[in-house]
Amino acid sequence: MKRLFDIMTSLIGLIIFTPLLVLLSIAIIVVDGFPVIFVQPRLGINKKEFNIIKFRTMKIGESKSSEEDEIRQTLLGKYLRKTSLDELPVLINVLKGDMSLVGPRPLLIKYSERFNNFQNRRHEVLPGITGLAQINGRNQISWEEKFNYDVQYIDENNFLLDIKILLKTVSSVLFFKGTSPEGKDIMPEFMGSEENENN
């Protein structure tokens, strides 16, 4: 049921948002130039790598740190991130089966060896566009809190919970809740943690 719901919803979403996707693509080309799309390897289910597809929000260049990424953001990119419009192309990842609508957010490949056993449980399911962490503070909570919510989702995983999370996500997006950490535009890099190490 979950996979069927993901396919139908992402397909309908892509059809409905096609005019917006075209307009945003044109805006990025006019304001920031090419490329329009940002593709980056991320960790999926069982830590299998896949390429996430998003609208480009930064100047062209290699991502070296969250501090540098914050500087590389364009004005249009900041708006896209604040409104979560940069995430619209991720529906393609859901349609392909790389991701689900709901699940732990897919993180960077370089984080792979930084997770402890407890945190690694977040890779037991498909990553999602939104999840428990996103409706409970998003980027304004710590990494440890995010991982706790991720594992809680896995332990409580059911279709009704997904619907509840999706409905709350709509409210969070409309009111820009938790889009940025306090005093920053981008979440600081996860460097590893000793907490929950023995769990």
Side-chain angles (χ1 to χ4, degrees):
M1 181 181 291
K2 180 181 176 75
R3 180 60 189 146
L4 180 61
F5 181 75
D6 282 344
I7 292 171
M8 295 302 297
T9 305
S10 57
L11 184 59
I12 292 169
L14 285 169
I15 293 170
I16 291 174
F17 290 120
T18 291
L20 182 56
L21 288 164
V22 172
L23 286 174
L24 290 175
S25 297
I26 293 171
I28 294 170
I29 293 169
V30 171
V31 177
D32 296 326
F34 289 98
V36 171
I37 296 298
F38 169 73
V39 178
Q40 185 181 54
R42 294 288 178 96
L43 292 168
I45 187 170
N46 298 320
K47 301 178 86 170
K48 180 181 177 182
E49 296 182 18
F50 73 97
N51 289 321
I52 195 169
I53 306 167
K54 302 172 73 172
F55 279 126
R56 181 168 67 89
T57 60
M58 300 181 189
K59 296 175 183 176
I60 299 171
E62 184 180 351
S63 177
K64 296 180 180 178
S65 67
S66 59
E67 290 79 12
E68 187 174 305
D69 287 346
E70 193 164 348
I71 296 171
R72 289 173 53 230
Q73 279 190 112
T74 65
L75 287 176
L76 177 58
K78 287 184 179 181
Y79 172 77
L80 294 176
R81 290 175 68 92
K82 183 177 181 180
T83 57
S84 299
L85 289 172
D86 64 316
E87 299 274 353
L88 284 178
V90 179
L91 289 171
I92 297 172
N93 288 116
V94 176
L95 192 59
K96 289 173 57 184
D98 299 323
M99 295 176 60
S100 177
L101 291 172
V102 181
R105 285 287 295 178
L107 297 179
L108 300 174
I109 301 300
K110 65 180 178 181
Y111 292 176
S112 181
E113 301 304 319
R114 300 177 188 178
F115 299 113
N116 58 40
N117 292 335
F118 177 81
Q119 295 160 352
N120 257 324
R121 287 200 58 207
R122 69 191 312 280
H123 302 108
E124 293 176 7
V125 297
L126 282 173
I129 296 178
T130 185
L132 274 181
Q134 281 61 54
I135 63 171
N136 285 287
R138 199 172 175 180
N139 288 329
Q140 292 182 346
I141 59 177
S142 69
W143 281 111
E144 283 72 22
E145 288 173 301
K146 286 187 178 189
F147 297 144
N148 286 338
Y149 278 123
D150 291 342
V151 175
Q152 179 185 339
Y153 171 77
I154 290 168
D155 289 339
E156 299 177 1
N157 190 6
N158 62 76
F159 187 66
L160 289 179
L161 177 60
D162 281 6
I163 298 300
K164 179 182 177 182
I165 290 171
L166 286 170
L167 291 175
K168 286 194 173 184
T169 297
V170 173
S171 172
S172 296
V173 170
L174 288 176
F175 294 100
F176 313 129
K177 294 179 181 178
T179 54
S180 303
E182 189 173 348
K184 294 181 178 291
D185 288 328
I186 294 177
M187 189 75 182
E189 183 174 341
F190 172 61
M191 300 306 296
S193 147
E194 294 181 2
E195 193 172 318
N196 299 323
E197 202 165 62
N198 296 318
N199 290 5

